[in-house]
Amino acid sequence: MPTVRRALLAAPLGACLCALAPDALAQTTPPAASPAPSAASPASDFPKPPEQDSGAAPLTLERAVELASQKNEAVLAAGQTAEAAQARVARARAFFLPTVAATGTYTRRLRESTREVGGQTVVLQKYNALGAVFAGRLTLFDARGFPLYKAAKLESEASKLDALETRRQVAFSAANAFLVTLANQQVYQAAEQRLAYAKQSLTDAQARANAGLASTNDVTRAELELATAESNLAAALGNAETSRLELGYLLVERVQGELAPPEPLLADAVRPAPALELLTQGAPDRRPDILSARLRVRSLRESAKEPLARLLPSLGASAQYRLTNEAGLNGNVGDGFLAVDLTWTLFDGGARYADRDERVAIANAAELNTQAATRRVPVDIEQARVNLETARAALAQSEQAAKAARKNAVETGILYRQGLSTALTLADASLSLFEAEVALAQNRYGLGVALLGLRAAVGLNPLGKEP
């Protein structure tokens, strides 16, 4: 009994993440333990899942992946991060473009200043003075701008790939949650069947005890089995509802209707996996996270060139034109200038060399991490392939076990009603059937999760397509 409780209480998003197979509901055969009507469902006073919208279309795996990819906040935040990186490219490009500024002034004085020149009165300062200054500056040459601009472009491309990888990972999370929810629903159905079986067993035990064909201990044992079945049903209901809520959180939308079994995914999962060489071929070039890491290394390399560019002088040009309504003694209302300046930092205390060493070290560290991540790709693929083969074997074994458990439950029930078996044996048959059904549900959907893991490792999306 502790084994069943652990399987139910620890299953939700951990153990049940190993869950998957074709048409979960269609392949679940209810135990024919008893022809009595109590084998249908538990009593009406027992907690049941919330009523689902019968008019809502079944939620498919494809739709769940689409919703998560479009509405999940993690995906939207990654897109905004990519937009910010693109804005930094525009800022780096501004380094090569001129800056133009215009300034206007108005001055009100207490008195007017005048002078007599050649018999004429010249106003030097008016009561109301107006002025305007137009200034511009252009960097003609600054070697620092080139590596910084290229680094910003590479960083922007890496951020776009990061956004793509975030969308891919969120899609896999939604697909896994979808399968978990299906598995937990099937576990709940198995728990309902066990409760119905336990009720029928209690009815039979009471009838045999009243007829003097069995002891009251059989009734006590049947009551204990019924209480255990009710406890398991409550736990299964909690797990089913928790996983449905988690799925709704990932989809940013409450899941109302039924879930449609992902037949294409399950059909692909039962097929033999391609050879390891075919799976690993080109996988690093498909993985957005690997491609992003490579671009980021290149960006860091370009950024490391900027300190050395400070060794070269910078050349700039500036211009200014001034307008005023105070012509003054020379009679000019406008004046301006054009200047070219050369700036060469001959010594900066070693700051540029320190910056260079720091950035080179950071780039080297990023390159080593990228190499490690690239080497990890074939390892992840091989592990996912092994997990898929193991899941196939586990599903085949659990199907045989469930078939034998159903047959054993039917035969034990018949023998008990004929007085050829005990209540303890009947309870053990019920427990074995329940454990077999739970294992079948988990292994059935675990096969699909294993296939999702393989697709994630080779750089595909949950639907088996390139992102």
Side-chain angles (χ1 to χ4, degrees), residues 257-317:
E258 295 288 340
L259 303 185
E263 298 296 347
L265 177 71
L266 304 179
D268 290 342
V270 298
R271 297 192 186 99
L276 182 62
E277 293 76 12
L278 294 178
L279 292 173
T280 56
Q281 184 178 4
D285 296 330
R286 278 194 304 269
R287 291 268 296 262
D289 55 333
I290 301 298
L291 297 176
S292 172
R294 292 173 178 173
L295 287 175
R296 196 154 275 118
V297 170
R298 292 175 55 192
S299 174
L300 291 172
R301 295 291 185 199
E302 291 297 327
S303 179
K305 297 177 182 178
E306 186 269 337
L308 294 182
R310 301 177 203 169
L311 294 170
L312 300 176
S314 60
L315 180 64

Side-chain angles (χ1 to χ4, degrees), residues 186-228:
Q186 190 167 351
V187 170
Y188 175 77
Q189 292 172 358
E192 279 190 315
Q193 294 165 6
R194 183 187 182 187
L195 181 60
Y197 193 91
K199 286 186 174 184
Q200 182 61 51
S201 298
L202 178 59
T203 300
D204 293 343
Q206 289 173 338
R208 287 175 55 79
N210 293 336
L213 300 176
S215 67
T216 57
N217 181 258
D218 284 5
V219 178
T220 303
R221 188 68 182 82
E223 291 174 344
L224 176 61
E225 170 63 16
L226 178 61
T228 303

Side-chain angles (χ1 to χ4, degrees), residues 259-454:
L259 303 185
E263 298 296 347
L265 177 71
L266 304 179
D268 290 342
V270 298
R271 297 192 186 99
L276 182 62
E277 293 76 12
L278 294 178
L279 292 173
T280 56
Q281 184 178 4
D285 296 330
R286 278 194 304 269
R287 291 268 296 262
D289 55 333
I290 301 298
L291 297 176
S292 172
R294 292 173 178 173
L295 287 175
R296 196 154 275 118
V297 170
R298 292 175 55 192
S299 174
L300 291 172
R301 295 291 185 199
E302 291 297 327
S303 179
K305 297 177 182 178
E306 186 269 337
L308 294 182
R310 301 177 203 169
L311 294 170
L312 300 176
S314 60
L315 180 64
S318 58
Q320 179 176 300
Y321 191 77
R322 177 178 175 273
L323 292 173
T324 181
N325 65 342
E326 297 175 327
L329 296 176
N330 58 15
N332 295 328
V333 295
D335 194 10
F337 68 87
L338 174 65
V340 177
D341 56 84
L342 180 69
T343 303
W344 194 352
T345 303
L346 300 177
F347 180 70
D348 64 354
R352 52 192 165 201
Y353 297 109
D355 289 346
R356 163 73 176 175
D357 293 340
E358 178 190 14
R359 297 183 188 184
V360 168
I362 293 175
N364 290 339
E367 185 171 14
L368 291 173
N369 291 333
T370 302
Q371 291 176 0
T374 305
R375 286 195 307 108
R376 186 72 195 176
V377 171
V379 177
D380 290 342
I381 293 175
E382 188 168 4
Q383 288 179 344
R385 188 171 180 272
V386 170
N387 291 338
L388 183 60
E389 297 296 336
T390 303
R392 284 202 192 98
L395 177 60
Q397 293 173 357
S398 61
E399 287 175 343
Q400 293 297 323
K403 182 179 179 181
R406 295 187 192 109
K407 182 178 180 182
N408 178 59
V410 173
E411 294 174 348
T412 303
I414 296 174
L415 291 175
Y416 179 74
R417 286 189 294 274
Q418 293 176 352
L420 301 177
S421 182
T422 65
L424 180 61
T425 304
L426 187 64
D428 288 342
S430 174
L431 174 60
S432 298
L433 176 59
F434 176 65
E435 290 180 334
E437 292 289 355
V438 170
L440 178 60
Q442 292 178 346
N443 290 329
R444 177 174 295 155
Y445 289 99
L447 182 61
V449 172
L451 179 59
L452 290 178
L454 181 59

Side-chain angles (χ1 to χ4, degrees), residues 46-172:
F46 196 86
K48 288 193 173 186
E51 291 294 333
Q52 297 176 356
D53 186 2
S54 58
L59 179 64
T60 63
L61 177 64
E62 293 78 7
R63 179 57 179 166
V65 169
E66 180 183 2
L67 287 174
S69 300
Q70 292 178 352
K71 303 174 66 175
N72 192 275
E73 293 85 353
V75 177
L76 300 179
Q80 291 301 307
T81 301
E83 291 289 337
Q86 184 62 35
R88 288 192 290 271
V89 174
R91 184 174 60 189
R93 188 186 302 114
F95 189 85
F96 303 98
L97 301 178
T99 58
V100 179
T103 304
T105 60
Y106 165 75
T107 304
R108 172 63 181 179
R109 298 188 177 93
L110 295 178
R111 62 185 59 85
E112 191 176 64
S113 176
T114 61
R115 292 288 187 275
E116 291 290 335
V117 178
Q120 294 182 350
T121 301
V122 178
V123 179
L124 300 180
Q125 293 180 332
K126 294 184 177 182
Y127 286 112
N128 299 300
L130 300 175
V133 177
F134 299 91
R137 179 167 181 80
L138 174 64
T139 300
L140 300 177
F141 175 78
D142 193 332
R144 298 176 302 163
F146 300 100
L148 291 178
Y149 177 64
K150 191 171 183 180
K153 287 187 63 177
L154 292 170
E155 179 65 27
S156 176
E157 294 175 7
S159 296
K160 292 178 182 178
L161 289 172
D162 286 342
L164 183 62
E165 176 65 9
T166 299
R167 183 182 296 110
R168 193 175 76 100
Q169 293 301 327
V170 168
F172 275 109

